[in-house]
Amino acid sequence: MNKTLVFGGSGQLGQCLQAVAQARGFTSIVFLAEEQANILNQETLRATFEQHHPAYIINCAAYTAVDKAEDEVDIARKVNRDGAENLARLCGEFGTTMLHISTDFVFAGTGNEPLTETDETAPISVYGLTKLEGEQVIPEHTAQYFILRTSWLYSEYAGNFVKTMLRFGKEREEMRVIWDQLGTPTYAVDLAGALLHIIESGSTAYGLYHYSNEGVTSWYDFAVAIFELGGLPTRTVPIRTAEYHTKATRPAFSVMDKTKAKTALGLAIPQWRASLVKCMGRLK
């Protein structure tokens, strides 16, 4: 089987890919942590490509500290744009297919219709801008790429909204959570499955895709579901975005249309609450 390299293999999505690959018996996959293959170190990257000659790479490495990015613009751009370019350049040279993860933060979030891949991008944060720059630079170096924009990632691994809410739910009687930002939580295990499906299917339907779980919710309703499924008596209070100050601005509406991924890639996408139930079962 063709070899796959995963960059950022020790992060949340990388850990989910490890679990899904193991469950599926997908063995020709190598997980590289940042210290093994830093996507900013071109010399090390080239040596890695020369050693493995991968048929596919999955780039899970990213600068995702949304608020911190407002102050660390150069670092965010180096990782999210330059790192993606370094990988794309080598993919073009070695004939490797690149799978790259992007974000709903490339949109301004001012509309109220599900966003398609052809909708105008207008990031309102440094994180969103640098991720968009990463998307834009990949096609300059390779035609063999799949870019998957995702949203609100969580899982039983690493730090994320679900685990934070469960921790707070045990410590606090009341949680104030934003209700006027709408999007779709995405179980990173489902995203990992979708990435491996693309590789296993041998698809050549290259391009840009949207992938999140199905449905739409607010952070408030997401939190309510977490407390309910976790059996926690926490009282949840809905608040407006304006009442919760953050350094970076978030899109108010970032629900993505997945029609293209379902038709062109043959992906079956679970509803967000059904996937949350699975994750909560594993966390218990």
Side-chain angles (χ1 to χ4, degrees):
M1 194 189 256
N2 294 327
K3 186 176 275 189
T4 300
L5 298 182
V6 179
F7 293 88
S10 58
Q12 173 171 231
L13 182 55
Q15 289 180 71
C16 291
L17 277 161
Q18 288 185 49
V20 176
Q22 195 173 359
R24 287 195 188 177
F26 192 107
T27 53
S28 58
I29 187 163
V30 178
F31 294 89
L32 302 161
E34 188 189 342
E35 54 273 16
Q36 294 170 287
N38 187 322
I39 61 170
L40 301 182
N41 187 324
Q42 295 184 49
E43 203 176 299
T44 311
L45 281 185
R46 177 168 293 281
T48 303
F49 270 74
E50 284 171 352
Q51 180 190 343
H52 295 284
H53 281 271
Y56 295 89
I57 67 148
I58 304 175
N59 181 28
C60 303
Y63 183 107
T64 57
V66 178
D67 291 314
K68 226 171 147 188
E70 296 296 311
D71 294 320
E72 298 187 346
V73 183
D74 291 347
I75 303 169
R77 181 164 280 124
K78 274 194 177 81
V79 178
N80 293 340
R81 184 207 171 278
D82 300 354
E85 182 171 34
N86 291 341
L87 289 169
R89 189 180 281 118
L90 286 163
C91 284
E93 196 179 314
F94 282 79
T96 302
T97 297
M98 180 173 183
L99 282 73
H100 177 78
I101 309 304
S102 193
T103 174
D104 58 329
F105 275 57
V106 299
F107 295 109
T110 51
N112 57 9
E113 289 285 324
L115 294 150
T116 70
E117 291 82 355
T118 54
D119 282 332
E120 188 185 351
T121 53
I124 51 176
S125 66
V126 168
Y127 168 67
L129 175 63
T130 57
K131 288 298 288 180
L132 178 62
E133 289 170 351
E135 285 184 14
Q136 292 168 336
V137 81
I138 289 168
E140 292 176 15
H141 300 284
T142 178
Q144 290 174 227
Y145 67 87
F146 295 91
I147 296 169
L148 272 68
R149 289 179 182 149
T150 193
S151 62
W152 300 22
L153 274 191
Y154 71 90
S155 70
E156 52 269 43
Y157 306 101
N160 55 69
F161 186 78
V162 170
K163 289 170 81 175
T164 300
M165 287 301 108
L166 287 173
R167 190 177 77 248
F168 284 161
K170 286 168 188 163
E171 297 167 358
R172 304 177 186 183
E173 288 180 10
E174 182 181 287
M175 279 298 298
R176 291 157 57 79
V177 187
I178 292 168
W179 69 266
D180 59 349
Q181 284 177 25
L182 299 177
T184 312
T186 305
Y187 187 24
V189 168
D190 293 338
L191 175 58
L195 291 164
L196 294 183
H197 169 85
I198 291 168
I199 293 169
E200 288 169 326
S201 69
S203 174
T204 54
Y206 304 123
L208 173 67
Y209 292 90
H210 286 171
Y211 185 95
S212 66
N213 281 128
E214 293 284 24
V216 54
T217 194
S218 68
W219 288 108
Y220 165 79
D221 291 297
F222 189 21
V224 168
I226 294 162
F227 295 141
E228 185 189 307
L229 293 167
L232 295 165
T234 316
R235 188 167 62 251
T236 320
V237 180
I239 61 168
R240 285 185 175 274
T241 300
E243 296 174 69
Y244 186 80
H245 179 73
T246 56
K247 197 138 202 173
T249 311
R250 269 81 171 159
F253 183 92
S254 64
V255 180
M256 295 188 291
D257 185 306
K258 276 83 66 176
T259 304
K260 186 183 174 188
K262 288 184 282 189
T263 52
L265 301 175
L267 290 170
I269 305 177
Q271 197 268 350
W272 74 264
R273 192 180 164 101
S275 288
L276 178 62
V277 169
K278 275 187 190 170
C279 179
M280 294 292 283
R282 287 168 180 167
L283 280 166
K284 282 177 184 173

